[in-house]
Amino acid sequence: MKIIAGNWKMNGSSDALKNMQDALRDVDTQNTVILCVPFTMLTPDGGRAAIGAQDVSAHDHGAFTGEVSAQMLRSAGAKYVIVGHSERRMYHGETNDIVRTKAESAIANDIIPIICVGETMDEKQAGKTMSVIESGVRESIPSDPRGKIIVAYEPRWAIGAGLTPTAAEIATAHELIAKTLESMGLGGTPVLYGASVKGNNAAEIMSIPNVDGVLVGGASLKPDDFIPIITAVK
Ligand code: PEP
């Protein structure tokens, strides 16, 4: 069984979500399906998919205009939240320390954080891919998660660019993440691959060792693109 998580980013509408939920209703799969939608579309009624958010405040409450706490997400129906997505790190300066604090807040409110790590093109070209991934895992995950977490490996240079690493590169990265998690006492934590996953590469990517599912951006917006990914593996 795999985990297929969609990240709608700042796209969609409540009507589009309803349309996706209708399309997913009869999909024949044992896989876990998650839809991470904008705050305004959160709902306790996810239908066939579990609903997730795309970010959470590091704070519990108070004078933080525009922010949304984990407790608020939970009461709006979120069961998952993406933390440390590349676009949050790039446009909002989120560091591993901030990401870890957000993950802690999610866990404390019974929300499963999907903790993203991955290297930029500059880091890749400087030969730092492995060290960035390892420090991302060690520093972004709470020291004692005491709850379920999901890790997502997203090579930042490949997101939304139609680029994908080779199968060997994905395998090497996921092996490192699995070993790092094991050394932290977190063996068995699901690890997703994300960046430019489509219907025509999903099966191959999910057959790579230590890949427990995928995090999908652009191809999660339309049922015709998303369903072939969900059904790529039974
Ligand atoms: C993402 O935003 O997490 C992502 C993987 O995007 P895309 O699939 O569009 O590359």
Side-chain angles (χ1 to χ4, degrees), residues 7 9 85 87 154 158-160 194-197 215-218:
N7 171 18
K9 311 192 185 197
H85 188 274
E87 288 144 21
E154 295 207 304
I159 294 177
S196 303
V197 176
L215 179 54
V216 186

Side-chain angles (χ1 to χ4, degrees), residues 156-171:
R156 296 173 58 182
W157 50 272
I159 294 177
L163 301 170
T164 42
T166 64
E169 285 173 323
I170 297 175

Side-chain angles (χ1 to χ4, degrees), residues 1-5 29 31-33 167 170-171 174 191-194 197-216 225-234:
M1 202 189 79
K2 301 288 187 184
I3 299 169
I4 319 290
T29 180
N31 297 324
T32 298
V33 182
I170 297 175
H174 278 255
V191 184
L192 314 183
Y193 166 81
V197 176
K198 308 267 181 281
N200 61 10
N201 62 12
E204 188 198 348
I205 290 171
M206 285 191 272
S207 71
I208 296 171
N210 303 306
V211 175
D212 302 303
V214 286
L215 179 54
V216 186
D225 295 330
F226 196 39
I227 290 173
I229 298 173
I230 296 170
T231 55
V233 292
K234 283 279 171 182

